[in-house]
Every structure is written in C-alpha cells, then in structure tokens.
Amino acid sequence: MTEDAYQYVDLPEAAVVTTRALLTARENITDTVAARAMMCIHGGAGHGKTLAVNTCLSELEPAEDVRRVTFRARPTARAVRYELFTALDLPGEPPRHPSEFDRLLKNALAEHPRTFLVDEAQWLNGEAFEYFRYLWDEPSTQLAIIFVGGEGCHTVLRREPMLSSRIFIWQHFTRLTPDEVQQVIPLFHPVWADADPDDIAFADSHAAHGNFRAWAQLTAHTRTGLARTGRPRADRELLRWAFSRLA
C-alpha cells in the first residue's frame, strides 16, 4: 500500500473527514487515555473504525506513547505475550517461561504511561482478552487499552464479565446515514466535490450503502472512469460502469 492508501485502496487526494463518529471517538479516546482505562470501539467492516482511531491517536502523539498491535488469527495468551514484546521494542530474546515473560512485560509497562491500540480485536478469544485484563489490573502498569474490532469483538467481550465490567466506554460505529453521506462525501474526495447530490444519493443507494470502504472503492473506480473518458464529472452512465466493478 502507498502513502495514499485509504480503506485498503490507493486513493490519492482522499481526505479524512470529520464525521460525527470521529468526533465522538476523539472525545472518548481522550477521556479513556486520561483515565488510563479501557474502551471498545466496534462495528461492521468498512465503517471507518480503525481510520478514526488512528487519526485520533496520532493527535495525541508524541506526548502519548502509543503502541499498536493487530491480530489476524485467534491468538493464545502466549501469542499475545510475543506481540506485546515486539510492540514494546524490548531487547533480547523473549523469555521461555510464562511467569518470567509476565514479569518482564509488567516491568516494562510500569516504566511510563502507554496506550495500546488492539486492532482486529474480533479475533481475540476469552483467553486473550483475559490476558490484557491481567496486565491492565496490575497496579504498577500505567495502561490505556483501546480495543477496535468487528461485532464479534463486542460479543466476546460481553461474555467476559471480569473484563466487560472494566470497559470504560463502548462506542458502536454504524453506516453513514443518507444525510451524512450528502455532508461527508463531497469533502471526502474531489471526484464528488461538485457532483450532483442526486448522483451521490444514487451511488450510495446502489453501491456504497453508507460504508466508507465501499465509498473508497467506488471513488477509485469513478476516478479511473473520469480519467479514461475525459468527462468533467461523474454521471449516471459512468457510475453504472463503476458499479459493475463492485461486488
């Protein structure tokens, strides 16, 4: 992916738009970090969760030490230990014994305040979530933890009362409403800056459905179509061509 990547699409000129969800996330994350607490941001794929959280956390850096870990499969507590070891840039080789490993991580996490972004948290099972709680509960650690994941993340957390009772803030990301689409999409990319509002509504109802990732894909195809046809802006014919490339 290039530096112009947006929602897994190479999309030059795309802007991070301040939606209501992003504004809420900014406030929630700021309060969670200040309280050294844990929060959960969850919602469907492509709703802008990770982008919003990374945008908000980047505003806190470098004053706040933010570490990011991402899980792509269901990790064990052992795998979580290794991910944290790597994220903390700890020297040497990881300890072989769990008790020694735990002591090393606790000592490192007690050095100064840190915030962990745990992305794709829907892959975590109860054991992995419990390990994060175990570290957070340690009096000497100075941790804020932000879990970001799909709906499965919320479901698993709710099944773990020892952990869910410690979640400071829950935030659910949803699709953009039709009104939000009209406000946000013209600011999102120059392709839509002077588009007819009816065409934006047409694109949303037929292809994007309030999903930011779908809008990014549609924008990339629309941008390609405009470049190839020389048209000044997207019309229904070009939009239908772009729709044909989407699932």
Side-chain angles (χ1 to χ4, degrees), residues 227-246:
R228 288 179 180 172
T229 62
R231 298 183 187 188
R233 68 178 189 175
D235 55 25
R236 297 292 174 95
E237 182 182 10
L238 191 147
L239 287 175
R240 288 190 179 92
W241 172 83
F243 298 166
S244 72
R245 292 184 150 203
L246 301 174

Side-chain angles (χ1 to χ4, degrees), residues 200-232:
I200 291 176
F202 177 75
D204 191 57
S205 63
H206 285 77
H209 310 296
N211 184 292
F212 249 126
R213 189 169 302 160
W215 267 109
Q217 294 169 346
L218 177 61
T219 301
H221 293 309
T222 301
R223 186 171 173 270
T224 298
L226 290 172
R228 288 179 180 172
T229 62
R231 298 183 187 188

Side-chain angles (χ1 to χ4, degrees), residues 66-86:
V66 178
R67 305 299 173 112
R68 294 165 172 83
V69 291
T70 302
F71 296 98
R72 301 295 183 186
R74 299 196 180 279
T76 61
R78 180 174 181 271
V80 172
R81 289 185 182 97
Y82 277 90
E83 287 291 336
L84 296 180
F85 182 90
T86 301

Side-chain angles (χ1 to χ4, degrees), residues 32-92:
T32 298
V33 171
R36 294 293 143 196
M38 293 189 286
M39 73 172 290
C40 174
I41 291 181
H42 61 102
H47 289 176
K49 304 179 298 296
T50 298
L51 179 69
V53 172
N54 276 315
T55 298
C56 296
L57 287 175
S58 68
E59 295 170 357
L60 300 180
E61 296 175 302
E64 180 67 22
D65 184 357
V66 178
R67 305 299 173 112
R68 294 165 172 83
V69 291
T70 302
F71 296 98
R72 301 295 183 186
R74 299 196 180 279
T76 61
R78 180 174 181 271
V80 172
R81 289 185 182 97
Y82 277 90
E83 287 291 336
L84 296 180
F85 182 90
T86 301
L88 289 167
D89 297 319
L90 296 177

Side-chain angles (χ1 to χ4, degrees), residues 15-238:
V16 176
V17 185
T18 304
T19 62
R20 281 183 288 181
L22 190 147
L23 286 172
T24 301
R26 178 179 290 146
E27 183 177 273
N28 289 342
I29 289 169
T30 299
D31 291 345
T32 298
V33 171
R36 294 293 143 196
M38 293 189 286
M39 73 172 290
C40 174
I41 291 181
H42 61 102
H47 289 176
K49 304 179 298 296
T50 298
L51 179 69
V53 172
N54 276 315
T55 298
C56 296
L57 287 175
S58 68
E59 295 170 357
L60 300 180
E61 296 175 302
E64 180 67 22
D65 184 357
V66 178
R67 305 299 173 112
R68 294 165 172 83
V69 291
T70 302
F71 296 98
R72 301 295 183 186
R74 299 196 180 279
T76 61
R78 180 174 181 271
V80 172
R81 289 185 182 97
Y82 277 90
E83 287 291 336
L84 296 180
F85 182 90
T86 301
L88 289 167
D89 297 319
L90 296 177
E93 294 296 320
R96 297 180 61 184
H97 300 290
S99 60
E100 184 183 354
F101 212 149
D102 292 346
R103 185 164 55 252
L104 174 68
L105 291 175
K106 287 179 183 179
N107 289 340
L109 293 171
E111 291 173 354
H112 61 264
R114 287 186 177 90
T115 293
F116 268 98
L117 164 58
V118 182
D119 202 5
E120 301 294 345
Q122 72 273 8
W123 291 109
L124 299 181
N125 56 22
E127 178 190 12
F129 275 124
E130 174 61 21
Y131 189 72
F132 279 105
R133 183 201 65 78
Y134 165 74
L135 292 176
W136 184 83
D137 272 354
E138 173 63 33
S140 64
T141 61
Q142 305 174 68
L143 272 179
I145 302 177
I146 301 166
F147 296 109
V148 181
E151 302 296 5
C153 169
H154 174 268
T155 302
V156 175
L157 273 172
R158 284 297 192 189
R159 289 178 187 156
E160 302 293 330
M162 290 286 287
L163 182 56
S164 64
S165 65
R166 288 164 169 78
I167 297 297
F168 187 54
I169 296 175
W170 301 83
Q171 182 178 348
H172 186 211
F173 268 61
T174 59
R175 297 177 184 273
L176 296 172
T177 67
D179 285 344
E180 287 178 306
V181 166
Q182 292 294 341
Q183 296 165 9
V184 166
I185 296 306
L187 303 175
F188 165 57
H189 196 278
V191 160
W192 311 109
D194 61 350
D196 188 311
D198 288 341
D199 288 338
I200 291 176
F202 177 75
D204 191 57
S205 63
H206 285 77
H209 310 296
N211 184 292
F212 249 126
R213 189 169 302 160
W215 267 109
Q217 294 169 346
L218 177 61
T219 301
H221 293 309
T222 301
R223 186 171 173 270
T224 298
L226 290 172
R228 288 179 180 172
T229 62
R231 298 183 187 188
R233 68 178 189 175
D235 55 25
R236 297 292 174 95
E237 182 182 10
L238 191 147

